[in-house]
Amino acid sequence: MALCASIAVGNAKAEEAVIYSYMRTSASNSSYMLMPQVVDVAPVAPAQIFDTLRRRKLPTYGATQYDEKKNAVSIDETKCSYSAIISAEIAESFLHHGFKLPKFSCRALSVDSGQGQLPHYVAVVPLWQALDPKFDAPEGSLVQIGDEYATMKSFRGRVAKRDKSVMQAIEVDLRTGAGFVRSGVMRGMIANGVAGAEKRIVKELESSDDVSVNAALEALLPLSGHKLDKTVVEKMGQIVEQSSPHQIGRATAALAATSKDLQFRALSVLFRSAGDAPFQLAQSSYAKLSSSQGADFFNIYGEKILTEAPASHVAAIAEAMHGSGQDMALERWLEASEATANAIAAATWLAENSQGTLLGTALSVLLESDDDVLPYDAWDRIVASDLSAAGKVRYMARGLNSPHALIRHWAYREIESSQVACSDVKLAIDRASRSGSVRYSGAYLPMIAALYGSQCKGDDVNGIEPVALRKRVQMAGSESIPSDMRLPGALLALARLDLVGAIEVFAKRAYDSDAAVRRDVAYGLRWIGENGDSLRASLLKDSDESVVLNVLWGLGQVAAEGVSVSMAKEIISRSKQSEELRIVGMQVMATKVSEKNGQTISTYISNEMFDASLAVKIAAIRALSAIAKSPADPLMRENALSSLALMAQDASSVVVFHTLRGLVEAQAPDIDSLLSSAQKAHPDVYRRIVRLRVR
């Protein structure tokens, strides 16, 4: 009778050994058999195994002795009746550890070893463990193959021949086994060189079960040191392309990064979850990918790599793509990207290392950065570029989505006042809208759309022909204003077309209950000129902040060179109620400085440079820099330069950067000494400013 049971038997530790003991296996005491047990033995040697067995069963063994030199066991003559048990326990225990079977005797008579005379357990090794060539199988253990059992030697021979029963059992384990079982089977298939193992394991990468995916990757990892089968690489590439980083995980990056196949190795950059080490291994492949092979690779994977690689590696990826002629792919990706860390990293590198439309696109992305320097630097470079007016408008449009109110204001001002074709402005609006969730531009895009949305159709504005507008203006004296006059942009169209009676309509609609109508009136006043000052002063007190912003935006475009002192004071008073109003108000007033209002405006802006808000400080510095560049009033310029010089000593490197930039642009006479001081206190700022002067 032979009973089989799976037992956890592996490579024994140095202090552990397995012995077999004849013991009870049922509650009724009717069933006994040889059972394996793990015990502590030091060292694991025949004499120590024998001593352990005898100590545990002295009543059975008595004075039984073991002669190590002769490898012989002399059973106590009073215990001869137990010779079958004693010899069976010693024989199975010795053989388990590979020791030679000893000779047994009792009363000088030879005794059979007892093997096969008593029921005993046999170690049954599961298929996944038997597939491991390094597994140290217990002596006499069997391998379970479906419903049958085979010796270890027989099993390994059948694996080599791809025996049908063995392959079916492998497939069952791959489909239904626990995670460690699937992993062991896949590793064993690779280790035993089973034909077609790679292709079969690659199929597991398509599994929705992360355990199967990781098991497959773990099995493929040993192959990464040499070139994988081409079909496996292609399949892996497809899976990589369709999978999310977290699903493939750390193992894929490690596998891909160490492969000798260049294309396969480069795939490792797709997995941000893998940490830095695999990406550092893959870094060396970027340079090689600048070849013709790289062009094909990046054409397929470039945008996915840029999106999913760690931000710290994006500059190197952008450099490799730029070097392999993939500028169009880079530009396409930047245009479609939100201002993510990856997009900003790529744009930062390209802003210093590219030209043409790719450079313009990179600078436009930087307008959306939340950095306190990059967006302003990018804006100034777009303004100073030799791009066409239409090109500048397209790139400036992303500034509408900048987290910096000052950049948003500049973008709106430049786009609104541009003389480019309607189609170019509409393209700019579309790009700004597509650059991500429109976080900040909600107040700007509708206004631009109202101004430009219909110019491509001809003379009509927002679908309303000038003749129809004139008829409605003639009705302005009545109590009922046509409902069409509430259409977005209709009032703006009325003012822009300079239709007679516009000011009367504006006067009535300035107090409309609909804030959208009041916003149109507030901005439409830009075409009314100085005659609209009384309405502006009234609307500056409006409870809706967007109405006040529209007054300021419109005022910035009024042809008049200055604003009255009373208007300046109204703007200052209202601007104090929000950060956005202060930022926009300072920029508008900086363009309206005159001999009469100069003292009022300059003093206000100079004081704002000391505001607690960094955004307000920057806006004030930029506004005062604009005043300092104006040669109209030498004294006003001198005062502005003196105020700016104070900020050059600020502890904040951001404040110092913007201050020195303004002083450089204003050609301050003491700029060299101020730069010398900055070189010691703020070396990074100094290097930036010097680079700007050279540029």
Side-chain angles (χ1 to χ4, degrees):
M1 172 181 176
L3 299 179
C4 297
S6 294
I7 58 173
V9 180
N11 293 325
K13 295 181 180 179
E15 68 276 9
E16 291 182 344
V18 175
I19 62 171
Y20 282 79
S21 178
Y22 191 66
M23 54 198 303
R24 185 177 55 154
T25 59
S26 68
S28 63
N29 293 333
S30 60
S31 178
Y32 285 80
M33 63 183 64
L34 287 169
M35 300 279 289
Q37 293 180 310
V38 177
V39 294
D40 291 335
V41 177
V44 179
Q48 282 69 31
I49 294 290
F50 172 79
D51 287 342
T52 301
L53 287 167
R54 187 178 61 177
R55 284 197 308 270
R56 291 168 66 91
K57 288 188 174 181
L58 278 175
T60 300
Y61 280 67
T64 300
Q65 300 293 321
Y66 170 64
D67 188 331
E68 190 169 8
K69 290 183 180 181
K70 295 180 179 180
N71 192 29
V73 176
S74 298
I75 299 173
D76 185 343
E77 61 182 20
T78 65
K79 304 296 182 180
C80 285
S81 59
Y82 296 122
S83 59
I85 295 174
I86 295 172
S87 60
E89 288 184 348
I90 295 173
E92 292 293 343
S93 299
F94 274 35
L95 290 175
H96 179 92
H97 294 287
F99 303 147
K100 188 177 180 181
L101 190 67
K103 294 180 179 179
F104 297 92
S105 65
C106 187
R107 297 175 186 162
L109 297 176
S110 177
V111 175
D112 189 81
S113 66
Q115 282 188 298
Q117 299 179 27
L118 299 175
H120 64 283
Y121 273 92
V122 173
V124 175
V125 180
L127 182 143
W128 67 269
Q129 197 169 34
L131 280 169
D132 182 358
K134 296 180 180 180
F135 175 63
D136 185 14
E139 182 70 25
S141 58
L142 301 177
V143 180
Q144 185 172 4
I145 307 170
D147 294 330
E148 64 171 303
Y149 297 90
T151 64
M152 187 65 67
K153 182 178 180 180
S154 170
F155 169 74
R156 286 179 174 160
R158 291 168 67 177
V159 169
K161 295 178 181 179
R162 286 180 58 86
D163 176 83
K164 183 178 179 180
S165 297
V166 172
M167 299 312 296
Q168 287 177 343
I170 286 176
E171 190 63 33
V172 169
D173 276 357
L174 286 176
R175 290 199 313 267
T176 63
F180 70 90
V181 171
R182 281 174 276 171
S183 179
V185 169
M186 290 185 226
R187 287 199 310 271
M189 291 172 71
I190 296 293
N192 283 279
V194 175
E198 295 173 17
K199 293 180 181 179
R200 175 61 187 87
I201 293 171
V202 166
K203 289 183 179 179
E204 292 301 308
L205 294 171
E206 299 176 348
S207 172
S208 58
D209 181 3
D210 285 350
V211 174
S212 288
V213 174
N214 289 327
L217 292 168
E218 187 179 352
L220 289 170
L221 191 57
L223 294 179
S224 61
H226 51 82
K227 193 168 184 177
L228 288 166
D229 182 273
K230 183 179 179 181
T231 57
V232 175
V233 175
E234 291 175 351
K235 185 66 176 177
M236 189 70 186
Q238 294 172 11
I239 294 166
V240 163
E241 191 174 2
Q242 298 166 3
S243 301
S244 58
H246 73 274
Q247 182 184 8
I248 301 299
R250 189 178 304 272
T252 300
L255 170 63
T258 57
S259 173
K260 286 186 178 180
D261 186 279
L262 175 62
Q263 191 176 33
F264 194 51
R265 182 166 72 245
L267 293 179
S268 68
V269 299
L270 296 178
F271 307 102
R272 79 179 77 183
S273 61
D276 281 342
F279 290 95
Q280 290 168 358
L281 291 172
Q283 198 85 356
S284 61
S285 68
Y286 295 145
K288 297 177 184 177
L289 284 169
S290 296
S291 64
S292 59
Q293 181 184 6
D296 293 338
F297 174 79
F298 281 122
N299 188 44
I300 299 172
Y301 296 112
E303 294 182 29
K304 188 174 181 67
I305 289 175
L306 287 166
T307 301
E308 298 183 356
S312 58
H313 293 271
V314 169
I317 297 167
E319 181 178 2
M321 291 183 68
H322 182 55
S324 62
Q326 293 295 306
D327 285 3
M328 289 184 65
L330 281 166
E331 190 170 342
R332 183 172 61 247
W333 176 74
L334 286 173
E335 285 183 356
S337 298
E338 296 184 36
T340 61
N342 283 24
I344 297 299
T348 301
W349 186 88
L350 292 168
E352 300 298 330
N353 297 281
S354 64
Q355 297 177 333
T357 57
L358 179 56
L359 171 60
T361 302
L363 293 173
S364 72
V365 170
L366 294 180
L367 295 179
E368 292 191 55
S369 168
D370 58 5
D371 186 83
D372 293 314
V373 171
L374 284 177
Y376 298 94
D377 181 50
W379 176 266
D380 290 336
R381 291 181 63 184
I382 293 173
V383 171
S385 69
D386 56 2
L387 292 165
S388 65
K392 289 183 180 180
V393 163
R394 287 200 301 272
Y395 298 132
M396 288 173 174
R398 284 194 74 154
L400 296 172
N401 261 333
S402 174
H404 301 273
L406 185 52
I407 299 291
R408 296 198 298 272
H409 170 70
W410 287 342
Y412 178 73
R413 181 190 65 194
E414 293 297 323
I415 294 170
E416 194 282 330
S417 62
S418 67
Q419 300 300 313
V420 301
C422 169
S423 57
D424 290 317
V425 176
K426 290 176 73 175
L427 177 60
I429 294 170
D430 180 57
R431 289 191 176 187
S433 302
R434 283 191 298 107
S435 65
S437 55
V438 185
R439 297 165 295 172
Y440 305 104
S441 60
Y444 297 84
L445 291 179
M447 187 64 68
I448 296 176
L451 289 169
Y452 287 93
S454 60
Q455 284 188 15
C456 297
K457 299 177 183 178
D459 291 335
D460 65 317
V461 181
N462 284 68
I464 305 174
E465 295 179 358
V467 174
L469 279 173
R470 288 190 180 94
K471 290 180 179 178
R472 291 187 173 87
V473 170
Q474 292 170 3
M475 298 171 60
S478 66
E479 289 299 323
S480 65
I481 300 293
S483 60
D484 287 3
M485 295 304 291
R486 291 177 178 271
L487 289 174
L491 288 168
L492 298 182
L494 185 65
R496 190 165 196 180
L497 293 174
D498 196 23
L499 297 176
V500 177
I503 187 67
E504 287 83 1
V505 174
F506 273 38
K508 290 184 71 70
R509 310 315 288 170
Y511 304 100
D512 196 282
S513 59
D514 187 345
V517 173
R518 301 200 305 277
R519 282 196 294 271
D520 276 3
V521 171
Y523 194 84
L525 287 171
R526 62 159 288 186
W527 290 289
I528 305 299
E530 293 180 333
N531 292 334
D533 275 358
S534 60
L535 278 179
R536 289 190 186 91
S538 176
L539 289 169
L540 280 171
K541 298 182 177 69
D542 198 285
S543 59
D544 190 308
E545 185 174 309
S546 63
V547 172
V548 182
L549 281 171
N550 280 11
V551 173
L552 295 175
W553 292 330
L555 185 61
Q557 302 301 327
V558 172
E561 292 185 359
V563 294
S564 65
V565 174
S566 60
M567 178 63 70
K569 289 181 177 179
E570 286 284 357
I571 294 172
I572 291 169
S573 175
R574 186 64 172 89
S575 295
K576 290 179 180 179
Q577 297 178 30
S578 89
E579 185 174 289
E580 180 109 359
L581 289 175
R582 277 186 288 167
I583 289 171
V584 175
M586 284 189 286
Q587 304 312 301
V588 170
M589 288 192 291
T591 65
K592 300 298 177 184
V593 174
S594 66
E595 184 177 347
K596 292 181 179 180
N597 65 25
Q599 184 64 37
T600 300
I601 293 176
S602 295
T603 300
Y604 168 66
I605 294 176
S606 296
N607 289 336
E608 290 296 280
M609 288 196 301
F610 298 95
D611 191 87
S613 166
L614 180 60
V616 172
K617 277 187 176 182
I618 294 173
I621 291 168
R622 299 296 294 230
L624 206 59
S625 299
I627 294 173
K629 285 190 290 186
S630 175
D633 188 332
L635 180 59
M636 194 179 302
R637 166 179 161 82
E638 184 179 340
N639 290 338
L641 290 174
S642 297
S643 296
L644 287 170
L646 291 175
M647 302 307 293
Q649 312 302 320
D650 198 272
S652 168
S653 59
V654 174
V655 171
V656 173
F657 169 81
H658 287 286
T659 301
L660 291 177
R661 179 162 201 149
L663 290 168
V664 167
E665 292 176 349
Q667 299 180 355
D670 57 346
I671 184 60
D672 289 331
S673 62
L674 291 171
L675 283 174
S676 179
S677 299
Q679 185 176 12
K680 299 175 183 177
H682 303 280
D684 290 341
V685 171
Y686 172 79
R687 285 191 291 271
R688 277 176 175 267
I689 297 297
V690 169
R691 192 163 64 245
L692 289 173
R693 294 182 82 180
V694 172
R695 189 192 289 158

